Amino acid sequence: MASNEPAHDAGGRRRRVAPGDAARLLFLQARAWVRSTPGTHTWLLILAVTSGILAAVSPHIRGFLLHHNSTNLEELGSHPVRVLIVSALWIESPQAFLPYFLFYEVVHAPAERRLGTRRWLAVVAVAHVGATLISQQAVFLGIHADRLSPSMAHTVDIGVSYGLAGVVGVLTHYLRPPWRWLYLAAAGGFFAYPLLLSGRTYTDLGHFTALLIGLACRGLIPRGRAAPAPPRYRPRRWRP
């Protein structure tokens, strides 16, 4: 049974914490963290299951699942609502689950705690859907202008990165100047730089679009939760 003794002895000296107590405390803290961010960790659980499925099946079945749940032009034209939802429940490469797990804990979980689950989910949904539709519209125009191959209408467009980029954007409003501007410059540069390269893709456009959508979601932040904007400087009127 874990001891309930204080962390210091009678002489005021810090006592050594038993390994069992430390493990129990760590477990309780982890459980409290998960309970405070149910949306993030439910999503992670689904991604763990779908990533495990992709890792276990044959390459042929894996390709079928990715294309069937993709938000490319073909699937958007046939099953728009279904693919816009289920495409956010898969990761194209099972090996990417661990990096995404870290991103979810560092980005999504803090955002859900600050925004609340419903508002956080609204930001994710708006960024995911908006960035998907805009990037696929760019593919549609590129195909009809003969600048892209018609096969792009069937390409795999799946994953959770648009929602992640949107949340990166909305978190800007929780920082105070000058950290807000430094954070925004770093995030904007990270997502805008690929658009300046010759090998840019519709996915790069989608990421940058999702970031802008997240920035535009300031109205979803509960009142009093965002960092205040810097006061405007008003020169005093000169009086003789």
Side-chain angles (χ1 to χ4, degrees), residues 18 174 220 235 239:
Y174 284 97
L220 289 174
R239 294 179 180 178

Side-chain angles (χ1 to χ4, degrees), residues 195-212:
L195 294 174
L196 304 178
L197 303 178
S198 59
R200 57 185 176 271
T201 66
Y202 68 90
T203 305
D204 298 325
L205 174 62
H207 288 149
F208 186 69
T209 301
L211 177 70
L212 297 180

Side-chain angles (χ1 to χ4, degrees), residues 108-127:
H108 277 307
E112 185 180 359
R113 284 172 62 90
R114 287 168 171 79
L115 286 164
T117 299
R118 287 183 296 180
R119 289 184 174 92
W120 162 78
L121 187 58
V123 174
V124 171
V126 171

Side-chain angles (χ1 to χ4, degrees), residues 10-238:
R13 293 171 297 182
R14 193 176 185 88
R15 70 178 181 85
R16 177 176 290 181
V17 178
D21 292 342
R24 182 174 180 273
L25 178 61
L26 183 62
F27 170 77
L28 292 175
Q29 290 176 338
R31 186 175 66 177
W33 175 254
V34 171
R35 285 183 173 180
S36 68
T37 52
T40 296
H41 290 93
T42 299
W43 196 0
L44 270 174
L45 180 60
I46 295 173
L47 291 177
V49 173
T50 56
S51 297
I53 292 173
L54 290 181
V57 299
S58 66
H60 175 73
I61 297 178
R62 185 183 307 127
F64 170 79
L65 289 173
L66 292 176
H67 281 87
H68 185 66
N69 296 298
S70 178
T71 49
N72 54 36
L73 289 176
E74 180 185 22
E75 293 296 332
L76 281 173
S78 303
H79 314 284
V81 176
R82 179 182 66 80
V83 295
L84 282 170
I85 295 173
V86 298
S87 64
L89 306 179
W90 297 79
I91 300 174
E92 187 171 353
S93 172
Q95 290 76 17
F97 176 76
L98 180 57
Y100 272 114
F101 175 85
L102 298 177
F103 287 138
Y104 271 54
E105 296 295 346
V106 173
V107 178
H108 277 307
E112 185 180 359
R113 284 172 62 90
R114 287 168 171 79
L115 286 164
T117 299
R118 287 183 296 180
R119 289 184 174 92
W120 162 78
L121 187 58
V123 174
V124 171
V126 171
H128 172 70
V129 173
T132 296
L133 296 180
I134 290 175
S135 61
Q136 287 301 315
Q137 179 67 18
V139 174
F140 175 82
L141 295 175
I143 292 174
H144 281 262
D146 293 328
R147 299 182 61 182
L148 294 176
S149 169
S151 63
M152 289 294 293
H154 309 280
T155 191
V156 172
D157 183 21
I158 200 167
V160 297
S161 55
Y162 291 165
L164 184 66
V167 172
V168 168
V170 79
L171 284 175
T172 303
H173 302 298
Y174 284 97
L175 300 175
R176 294 176 178 269
W179 302 111
R180 179 186 299 177
W181 314 127
L182 294 173
Y183 174 87
L184 182 58
F190 179 82
F191 289 113
Y193 177 71
L195 294 174
L196 304 178
L197 303 178
S198 59
R200 57 185 176 271
T201 66
Y202 68 90
T203 305
D204 298 325
L205 174 62
H207 288 149
F208 186 69
T209 301
L211 177 70
L212 297 180
I213 292 174
L215 283 170
C217 287
R218 182 184 174 91
L220 289 174
I221 296 177
R223 184 172 299 179
R225 298 284 186 89
R232 293 184 178 181
Y233 172 71
R234 295 182 178 179
R236 294 182 178 179
R237 182 178 296 179
W238 180 80

